[in-house]
């Protein structure tokens, strides 16, 4: 049963917990620049993720690994300048928090101070527990990320569904509980069986945001460029395309080229 949407002037980490209590689903999309963030926020999306997926979408890398902390801060600061309502969560990039809790804290502080973001997101469970604690102790909100964790792609060797086997599923449930007890305000579950994701969502008090994790969780996240069809090569089962901008933009560019070549643009009305 759907729940009436409540109007929130500003989304905070507390708002998301309240939304879960009310049974209101949480919407989350990515943004990496001012213009896209302004549109996404203006549409009323609850959480704007400045994802390390910028490494793929904006820079053309095969994985999320190459993007740097400085680059993430650049993207995040561009997004923050556009936001009036949504909660801005910024990925801490690979290599900036895993090995040393002190480095994790320095990275999180830089993101918060230099970008103005509202929270950070990290991938992993027990293995990064100390880094999460150090960041939280500084008063910085942390969103967790379990299941398929793209920063560990070379460890997994594949982007297939995670936690299908009992042992990995149990570890995921244990890690989710650990993240909640540590103080994370929400967790992203990526590419895990829907039944498992629903079980996790029901067992925790903090929101579970799914991507390829079924409909039994507390909210959903997609990469904006994928769901509006600017990218067209990426076609996972969980992706619903709401537009086909790749085709529409290509048509517009072709029309522009034709008009320039023919001398039709600019017309008399389009010049001084």
């Amino acid at each position: 049963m759907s729940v009436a949407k409540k109007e929130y002037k500003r989304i905070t980490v507390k708002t998301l917990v309240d939304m879960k209590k009310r049974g209101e689903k949480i919407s989350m999309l990515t943004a990496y620049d001012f213009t896209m963030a302004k549109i996404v926020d203006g549409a009323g999306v609850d959480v704007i993720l400045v994802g390390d997926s910028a490494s793929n979408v904006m820079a053309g890398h095969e994985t999320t690994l190459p993007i740097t902390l400085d680059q993430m801060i650049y993207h995040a600061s561009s997004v923050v300048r556009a936001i009036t309502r949504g909660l801005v969560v910024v990925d801490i990039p690979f290599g900036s928090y895993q090995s040393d809790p002190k480095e994790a804290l320095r990275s999180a502080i830089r993101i918060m101070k230099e970008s103005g973001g509202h929270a950070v997101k990290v991938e992993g469970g027990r293995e990064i527990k100390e880094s999460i604690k150090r960041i939280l102790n500084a008063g910085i909100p942390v969103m967790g990320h379990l299941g398929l964790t793209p920063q560990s792609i070379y460890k997994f060797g594949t982007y297939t569904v995670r936690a299908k086997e009992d042992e990995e599923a149990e570890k995921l449930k244990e890690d989710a509980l650990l993240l909640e007890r540590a103080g994370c305000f929400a967790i992203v579950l990526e590419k895990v069986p829907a039944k498992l994701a629903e079980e996790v969502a029901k067992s925790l008090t903090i929101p579970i945001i799914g991507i390829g994790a079924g409909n039994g969780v507390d909210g959903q996240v997609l990469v904006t460029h994928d769901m509006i069809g600017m990218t067209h090569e990426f076609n996972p089962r969980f992706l619903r395309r709401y537009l086909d901008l790749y085709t529409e933009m290509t048509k517009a560019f072709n029309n522009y080229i034709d008009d320039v070549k023919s001398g039709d643009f600019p017309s008399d009305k389009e010049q001084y």
Side-chain angles (χ1 to χ4, degrees), residues 68-256:
T68 67
L69 183 60
D70 285 340
Q71 289 168 334
M72 287 301 303
I73 290 170
Y74 166 79
H75 286 294
S77 60
S78 300
V79 168
V80 168
R81 285 191 286 271
I83 302 303
T84 60
R85 177 183 178 274
L87 180 77
V88 179
V89 179
V90 185
D91 271 336
I92 305 183
F94 175 75
S96 302
Y97 65 93
Q98 288 94 340
S99 62
D100 180 1
K102 291 182 180 179
E103 182 182 19
L105 177 58
R106 287 192 293 269
S107 299
I109 288 174
R110 279 200 62 200
I111 287 172
M112 299 296 282
K113 284 178 68 70
E114 296 178 37
S115 78
H118 307 138
V120 297
K121 181 168 76 66
V122 294
E123 296 182 7
R126 186 171 302 277
E127 61 275 12
I128 61 162
K129 178 178 65 173
E130 295 307 316
S131 290
I132 291 172
K133 285 184 177 179
R134 187 67 67 102
I135 296 169
L136 287 165
N137 285 341
I140 299 172
V142 176
M143 176 180 281
H145 185 146
L146 299 171
L148 176 65
T149 47
Q151 291 181 6
S152 302
I153 185 56
Y154 290 126
K155 172 184 173 183
F156 294 141
T158 175
Y159 285 103
T160 56
V161 176
R162 306 303 310 170
K164 290 192 291 185
E165 304 300 327
D166 290 345
E167 184 178 352
E168 190 177 355
E170 284 302 313
K171 183 182 184 303
L172 186 144
K173 288 189 282 187
E174 291 170 3
D175 280 342
L177 183 59
L178 180 148
L179 293 179
E180 179 182 59
R181 287 176 173 170
C184 290
F185 69 88
I187 301 171
V188 169
L189 285 188
E190 180 169 358
K191 256 190 164 183
V192 300
K195 185 177 179 181
L196 173 62
E198 183 174 6
E199 183 181 346
V200 172
K202 288 181 176 178
S203 67
L204 300 185
T205 60
I206 61 174
I208 303 299
I209 312 297
I211 176 167
N215 198 31
V217 291
D218 305 302
Q220 300 293 331
V221 59
L222 285 174
V223 172
T224 299
H225 290 66
D226 294 337
M227 62 87 71
I228 61 176
M230 288 183 74
T231 55
H232 67 290
E233 306 94 343
F234 184 58
N235 292 293
R237 181 189 299 184
F238 63 78
L239 174 60
R240 181 182 295 183
R241 295 197 193 280
Y242 287 81
L243 287 172
D244 182 10
L245 280 189
Y246 180 86
T247 299
E248 292 302 311
M249 291 172 73
T250 301
K251 286 180 182 177
F253 297 147
N254 287 337
N255 289 339
Y256 169 74

Side-chain angles (χ1 to χ4, degrees), residues 5 7-9 11 27 29-31 33-48 79-88 224:
K5 182 181 176 182
E7 291 300 321
Y8 298 100
K9 290 185 178 180
I11 304 296
S27 61
L29 285 172
T30 59
D33 64 85
F34 177 87
T35 303
M36 185 70 80
K38 198 168 186 64
I39 298 170
V40 170
D41 188 57
V45 171
D46 299 313
V47 183
I48 291 88
V79 168
V80 168
R81 285 191 286 271
I83 302 303
T84 60
R85 177 183 178 274
L87 180 77
V88 179
T224 299

